[in-house]
Amino acid sequence: MIEVGLKHTSELTVTHDVTAMKIGSGDMPVLATPMMMALMENAAMLAVQDMLPEGYTTVGGHITSSHLKPSKIGDVVRAEAEVTKIDGKKIEFRIAAYSGDVLLGEGTHLRFVVEREKFISRL
């Protein structure tokens, strides 16, 4: 059962493949904002994954985040997600990303519980 307070942390090491230069969101060799947000979304997904019935998953519906500090190649970035509210199939999260103790960005994320096969069949 999904409960308020469930948490998960996901990590990545900044490589050339996740820089703004590589993915096209900028022209600097630093962690791309979309990649930081994807890491936060991953932490949210994994926070509740083991609590879902067989055949169900969550999909992202909305994400908002600041990006306050850059991260260079070689930095380890940690994203944390915590369930803050549950409303039927809607799950809200507090999300944040860090490099060591330095806050890189923070915000909120909304995910929806869906049945995998039914979701894919609607495409």
Side-chain angles (χ1 to χ4, degrees), residues 50-98:
D50 291 343
M51 300 297 143
L52 297 171
E54 183 76 28
Y56 284 77
T57 190
T58 58
V59 294
H62 186 262
I63 189 167
T64 181
S65 177
S66 59
H67 193 169
L68 306 168
K69 304 266 185 191
S71 304
K72 67 184 180 310
I73 292 174
D75 285 353
V76 175
V77 175
R78 171 180 92 256
E80 300 175 355
E82 179 177 358
V83 175
T84 59
K85 183 178 177 183
I86 303 157
D87 182 11
K89 295 183 180 212
K90 294 192 309 186
I91 308 167
E92 295 180 24
F93 298 84
R94 180 195 64 79
I95 52 174
Y98 299 88

Side-chain angles (χ1 to χ4, degrees), residues 2 11-12 20-21 28 33 52 55-56 66 78 80 87 89-90 92 105 110 117-119 122:
I2 298 171
E11 287 188 355
L12 72 73
M21 285 174 56
M28 301 285 284
T33 301
L52 297 171
Y56 284 77
S66 59
R78 171 180 92 256
E80 300 175 355
D87 182 11
K89 295 183 180 212
K90 294 192 309 186
E92 295 180 24
L110 172 66
E117 286 186 25
K118 188 174 181 181
F119 183 84
R122 292 181 176 168

Side-chain angles (χ1 to χ4, degrees), residues 33-53:
T33 301
M35 298 308 297
M36 180 192 74
M37 292 176 73
L39 186 65
M40 291 190 277
E41 191 169 9
N42 177 262
M45 177 194 69
L46 293 175
V48 298
Q49 181 175 310
D50 291 343
M51 300 297 143
L52 297 171

